Amino acid sequence: MAAQNWNMEGSNAALDRTREALSQAVQTLERAGVAAAREPLTAAQAHLADAVLYGRDLPQLVRQNDERIAALGPLGEELKAYIAQGRVAFDAVDEYAESTWSDIRGNGSEAQAAAERAYEHWQQAQQQNTMDEQEFPAAKGNLDAAENETAYARQLIDTIVQRLHDLETARSTARAEIEAAQSDIARGWAFVRANDADVGRVPEQKLQQAEQAFAAAQAEMQQGKPNWLTVVEQAQAANALADEALVGARSEAEIIEKLRKQVANVQQLATAEVKKIVSFVGLHEADIKPPSRQQIQLVQKQTQEAFGLIQQSEASEDERRRAALEKAFAAYQALQKLASQVYAQAYADFQELEQLRTTVNSELARTRSAIESAEQMLTMNRSMLPRSSRAEQRLRATRRSFDQITLPIVGEERLRATIKEAQAIRAEAEDAAADLRRSFPGSHGGMGGPVVIVGGGARRSQCAVGVVSGRDPSASGCPARRDGTRRLSAAPGGEIGPGGELMAGFGCDILFRMH
């Protein structure tokens, strides 16, 4: 393979590590026995697998990477269209009360960020999976990241699309419940008035209470953006009160059928609340605290119990069926309320980590800026540096470390670890930049170090970029900048003296850093 220009350095290095681990295993076996030798033997096996991967298996890995690169291209286009669909869905969700969708705010932006990150990893993999670069394992890692980020972005958009569907269902259910409640109240009063002598005060009181609940539901519907869940709750309460008033006037079959529909409606709403919890926990599981997890388990238990009551009603007859349906109705109402409370509690857990996420984003941005600044310095001054200098290698290492930080970052422990990791990478990048500056030809310690000349001013085109020795520039009176540099400006026509001093009338901005 070496004759075919394959880079075998990784395989050879892995073989060296394998030999070293085997040697350690032999020594440990002789000294401490089989149990103690397992660890170095395991390490030797891992190194040997790396040697095969970086050697004999490289052509297969390249083919696999190429296939994945080709597959990810269309997926990226599909994701782009799906994000656009999610944006349209979110605009539609905005028609509903904010309290019913506030938890998905920002999902579209986060999905877009994940998609862009996936695209960056895909592009990097394309470059790495070539015979010029031959960074095939790194290409595989970037493809893994791109696939994970693509899936994460789709999951975020899924929540938006699903929420719109759930809210549309709630709105449709609310209107049906309102119509049913209004109809039952009217029929109840007609029956009571037609049979006033035979009807006591309790049915009349129930109907009055039903009218109050119905009025509350109508009032909520008049809001600019009604909470359709509240409308359904009030309408169902009115419906239940009207049913109680009509209990003696309806046949058992009619009551049972109506009760079955009510159970189906409240089951749908309660299930939607439970799905909302499941979806949220799926995205932010690491952010959920143990008390909330226990409540989620309770929701799951009550969901199973409520569904069991529906099954029980279908297996029963007459009064037992009605009793089971009434229990199921009450169970799903309680489940809907509990699920809403548990969701609020889980969302509060998630919100507590928002400040940490903000800090993570800030530290990543600062670290990215430090790396890019050092890379820019390397590009501008490459001609003055020895090939493959230690500073350049360190800078490339910091870039690789930074690129390995991928989304999503969840959980307090992982967030705090990422902050420390970003700070460490930034410190390494800044130190590598300082090392890079010390690599410039002619650089040396002390206040009389080199001056970096950067063209500027009215005669910018006449100024060359370079390094000259100069005297202590602090005498210039120019304020020091945050990166340790100072900038001077003078009139056109100036020059630099033989000792590196700045002569009057110099026609450039002079940017210098003391080494």
Side-chain angles (χ1 to χ4, degrees):
M1 292 182 66
Q4 298 175 354
N5 294 325
W6 290 89
N7 185 350
M8 304 297 293
E9 292 181 0
S11 180
N12 293 334
L15 285 173
D16 290 341
R17 292 194 296 272
T18 303
R19 295 187 188 96
E20 182 180 349
L22 285 174
S23 175
Q24 182 181 355
V26 170
Q27 295 175 9
T28 304
L29 180 64
E30 295 174 349
R31 184 180 65 256
V34 175
R38 286 198 181 101
E39 183 176 348
L41 280 174
T42 300
Q45 289 175 333
H47 295 321
L48 182 59
D50 287 342
V52 173
L53 175 63
Y54 299 151
R56 185 192 66 192
D57 289 352
L58 278 181
Q60 180 181 355
L61 178 60
V62 172
R63 288 192 298 272
Q64 292 173 345
N65 286 348
D66 282 336
E67 291 172 358
R68 294 173 69 187
I69 288 170
L72 271 173
L75 288 179
E77 291 301 319
E78 292 175 8
L79 179 59
K80 181 179 179 181
Y82 194 39
I83 290 174
Q85 179 184 346
R87 191 175 296 111
V88 173
F90 188 79
D91 290 341
V93 165
D94 191 43
E95 298 177 5
Y96 297 87
E98 184 176 357
S99 59
T100 62
W101 56 262
S102 60
D103 61 294
I104 63 173
R105 181 188 285 110
N107 280 22
S109 299
E110 191 171 355
Q112 182 64 43
E116 292 173 356
R117 190 67 172 160
Y119 181 71
E120 291 175 3
H121 282 116
W122 180 67
Q123 285 187 313
Q124 291 172 1
Q126 286 181 302
Q127 296 173 357
Q128 293 165 336
N129 203 53
T130 62
M131 291 301 293
D132 290 335
E133 295 289 337
Q134 295 202 36
E135 296 184 17
F136 307 120
K140 178 181 180 300
N142 276 321
L143 289 171
D144 291 339
E147 289 171 352
N148 290 337
E149 287 158 349
T150 298
Y152 177 61
R154 289 195 66 88
Q155 190 176 8
L156 288 166
I157 299 302
D158 284 343
T159 61
I160 298 176
V161 174
Q162 184 62 44
R163 183 60 50 80
L164 175 60
H165 175 268
D166 292 341
L167 289 175
E168 288 174 340
T169 299
R171 180 169 60 183
S172 175
T173 300
R175 297 184 188 282
E177 289 288 349
I178 283 285
E179 293 172 0
Q182 186 177 25
S183 177
D184 281 354
I185 291 173
R187 283 196 293 269
W189 278 117
F191 181 84
V192 168
R193 288 166 183 154
N195 301 274
D196 188 60
D198 299 329
V199 177
R201 294 183 58 82
V202 173
E204 293 182 0
Q205 292 172 350
K206 294 290 185 182
L207 287 171
Q208 290 169 354
Q209 294 172 2
E211 287 180 327
Q212 293 173 357
F214 179 75
Q218 284 188 312
E220 180 62 32
M221 287 186 65
Q222 299 306 313
Q223 299 297 320
K225 293 182 179 180
N227 186 326
W228 293 107
L229 298 177
T230 299
V231 172
V232 169
E233 182 180 353
Q234 294 291 346
Q236 287 180 341
N239 215 326
L241 289 167
D243 281 347
E244 291 177 18
L246 289 168
V247 67
R250 301 294 184 191
S251 67
E252 187 67 15
E254 185 178 359
I255 294 175
I256 289 294
E257 183 60 26
K258 182 176 179 124
L259 187 55
R260 184 182 287 112
K261 290 180 179 179
Q262 289 179 326
V263 170
N265 286 338
V266 73
Q267 179 191 23
Q268 188 175 40
L269 292 173
T271 301
E273 287 291 318
V274 173
K275 285 182 178 178
K276 185 166 71 172
I277 293 176
V278 172
S279 176
F280 187 80
V281 172
L283 287 170
H284 310 291
E285 182 177 5
D287 297 346
I288 309 303
K289 296 181 178 179
S292 299
R293 293 178 184 272
Q294 294 176 357
Q295 290 296 101
I296 292 171
Q297 292 176 352
L298 178 60
V299 168
Q300 294 172 335
K301 179 175 180 291
Q302 291 194 8
T303 300
Q304 295 173 351
E305 291 174 350
F307 184 71
L309 288 170
I310 292 180
Q311 292 178 313
Q312 180 183 336
S313 71
E314 295 301 321
S316 304
E317 296 179 356
D318 302 326
E319 290 299 325
R320 288 180 297 173
R321 171 173 289 185
R322 176 183 172 183
L325 284 172
E326 288 174 343
K327 289 180 180 178
F329 183 76
Y332 274 114
Q333 282 186 315
L335 175 61
Q336 181 181 352
K337 183 177 181 180
L338 174 63
S340 178
Q341 294 171 345
V342 171
Y343 174 77
Q345 184 175 340
Y347 185 68
D349 293 345
F350 167 77
Q351 284 294 104
E352 287 186 12
L353 296 183
E354 276 301 283
Q355 184 59 46
L356 267 182
R357 292 187 184 89
T358 300
T359 302
V360 166
N361 291 334
S362 175
E363 290 296 333
L364 289 177
R366 292 178 61 193
T367 300
R368 181 185 296 105
S369 177
I371 293 173
E372 291 175 351
S373 177
E375 288 173 340
Q376 183 179 12
M377 182 191 304
L378 172 63
T379 301
M380 293 177 61
N381 298 278
R382 185 178 297 278
S383 62
M384 296 185 294
L385 295 173
R387 181 174 298 179
S388 299
S389 67
R390 176 177 174 272
E392 182 176 352
Q393 293 174 0
R394 291 179 64 191
L395 185 55
R396 289 181 177 178
T398 61
R399 167 58 73 177
R400 288 194 296 270
S401 298
F402 181 76
D403 288 343
Q404 289 172 3
I405 301 176
T406 59
L407 298 175
I409 302 170
V410 295
E412 181 176 0
E413 181 178 352
R414 184 70 185 97
L415 288 167
R416 294 190 183 280
T418 301
I419 291 173
K420 292 181 179 179
E421 184 180 4
Q423 291 171 342
I425 293 173
R426 184 169 69 252
E428 176 64 12
E430 292 171 349
D431 192 52
D435 197 5
L436 186 62
R437 287 190 293 272
R438 288 190 293 270
S439 299
F440 294 160
S443 65
H444 53 81
M447 294 300 292
V451 178
V452 180
I453 310 301
V454 181
R459 300 179 61 192
R460 179 181 303 271
S461 62
Q462 298 180 16
C463 299
V465 178
V467 177
V468 300
S469 61
R471 298 182 302 185
D472 181 355
S474 61
S476 66
C478 294
R481 307 197 312 178
R482 287 191 303 174
D483 61 356
T485 66
R486 301 173 185 269
R487 184 175 293 276
L488 294 178
S489 296
E495 58 183 5
I496 298 177
E501 65 273 19
L502 303 177
M503 306 300 290
F506 191 75
C508 298
D509 289 341
I510 309 303
L511 177 64
F512 52 86
R513 181 189 306 275
M514 301 316 301
H515 295 273

